[in-house]
């Protein structure tokens, strides 16, 4: 069983960065919750949170929680801000183990890949409290800039926050070799089978026939063969 500690940056009285209608504390909580839900599909993972609501544990409290729980890995999720900035970057503490370097490398690569076409600001080092005070490999992700109009537009899309979360999960899966639960695999097989059968759906366009009656004939034949057939009158 691997214990993954998810820290949603800021919260409560501390909004974090604010810009163009968004607050960092809300975005980080949304992303962290999405990460937690996605990780629920995998075997042998325990997900721990520094907060699951709009509360403000101090930075030292967050690190202490992870240490006390003997978490194996720690990730703190943030959104950046400065007027001139754009893109994605990650931080690890100034002096780190090779395990942490590998952790940052994998997570950084997978999150960037999932985000798609955003600027890669690189893997950085910093003397940040949650990274300094945690005993396990720890990184901090800065997921775009809240006050950059282009980044902000992406951060307003729930589907983009899904990608950010998926990137974090892909990193854990790749690094730890996580396997999906048998029940999840079954569901996925069922869904794939359903999609395959739905592939039998046939559209018959009346406009494609010189005589509309021929379109109806074809539709009848297809129906007899077991295809889900529908007619478009154009
Ligand atoms: Zn922050």
């Amino acid at each position: 069983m691997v214990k993954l500690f998810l820290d949603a940056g800021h919260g409560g009285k501390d909004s974090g960065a604010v810009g163009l209608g968004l607050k960092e504390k809300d975005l980080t909580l949304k992303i962290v919750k999405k990460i937690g839900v996605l990780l629920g599909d995998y075997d042998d993972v325990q997900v721990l949170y520094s907060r699951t609501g709009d509360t403000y544990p101090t930075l030292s409290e967050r690190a202490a929680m992870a240490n006390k729980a003997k978490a194996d890995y720690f990730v703190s999720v943030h959104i950046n801000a400065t007027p001139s900035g754009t893109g994605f970057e990650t931080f690890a503490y100034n002096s780190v183990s090779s395990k942490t370097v590998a952790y940052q490398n994998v997570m950084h690569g997978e999150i960037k890949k999932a985000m798609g076409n955003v600027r890669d600001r690189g893997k950085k080092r910093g003397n940040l409290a949650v990274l300094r005070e945690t005993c396990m490999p720890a990184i901090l992700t800065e997921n775009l800039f809240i006050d950059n109009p282009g980044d902000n537009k992406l951060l307003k899309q729930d589907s983009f926050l899904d990608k950010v979360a998926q990137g974090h999960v892909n990193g854990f899966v790749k690094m730890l070799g996580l396997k999906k639960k048998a029940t999840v695999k079954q569901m996925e097989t069922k869904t794939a089978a359903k999609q395959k059968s739905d592939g039998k759906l046939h559209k018959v366009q009346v406009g494609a026939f010189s005589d509309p009656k021929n379109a109806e004939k074809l539709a009848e034949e297809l129906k007899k063969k077991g295809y889900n057939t529908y007619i478009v009158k154009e």
Side-chain angles (χ1 to χ4, degrees), residues 7-167:
D7 174 37
H10 310 275
K13 64 182 182 188
D14 172 17
S15 295
V18 178
L20 304 168
L22 293 177
K23 285 180 188 163
E24 181 182 1
K25 67 171 184 177
D26 299 330
L27 294 172
T28 60
L29 186 59
K30 271 189 198 171
I31 293 166
V32 154
K33 282 186 168 175
K34 286 176 187 290
I35 296 172
V37 167
L38 290 169
L39 284 172
D41 283 353
Y42 291 87
D43 263 332
D44 298 322
V45 179
Q46 189 184 353
V47 180
L48 305 159
Y49 301 88
S50 59
R51 67 182 182 99
T52 53
D54 189 19
T55 57
Y56 180 74
T58 65
L59 299 178
S60 293
E61 280 167 356
R62 294 167 199 246
M65 273 186 241
N67 292 342
K68 197 177 169 205
K70 296 194 164 55
D72 295 298
Y73 292 89
F74 179 101
V75 60
S76 189
V77 174
H78 288 254
I79 311 295
N80 230 329
T82 62
S84 60
T86 177
F88 166 70
E89 63 195 18
T90 55
F91 284 90
Y93 184 52
N94 291 334
S95 62
V96 289
S97 65
S98 58
K99 204 174 167 186
T100 304
V101 172
Y103 175 38
Q104 184 181 20
N105 284 344
V106 173
M107 295 296 279
H108 186 102
E110 290 300 318
I111 299 164
K112 171 64 187 66
K113 203 198 288 178
M115 280 182 176
N117 190 25
V118 301
R119 184 181 298 174
D120 189 345
R121 303 171 61 86
K123 289 165 255 182
K124 301 183 175 178
R125 296 278 179 267
N127 182 13
L128 304 166
V130 288
L131 303 180
R132 184 179 63 242
E133 294 177 19
T134 38
C135 300
M136 69 293 306
I139 59 162
L140 185 147
T141 64
E142 290 279 7
N143 304 281
L144 305 193
F145 284 69
I146 207 162
D147 52 0
N148 173 283
D151 285 10
N152 182 281
K153 204 174 162 189
L154 288 173
L155 292 168
K156 279 191 176 126
Q157 295 168 17
D158 201 53
S159 59
F160 184 79
L161 302 184
D162 285 338
K163 286 182 191 170
V164 176
Q166 189 67 58

Side-chain angles (χ1 to χ4, degrees), residues 199-202 219 221-229:
K200 280 185 150 187
L201 197 64
H202 270 252
E221 272 175 36
L222 287 168
K223 269 183 202 166
K224 275 181 201 160
K225 285 182 184 165
Y227 291 96
N228 300 316
T229 310

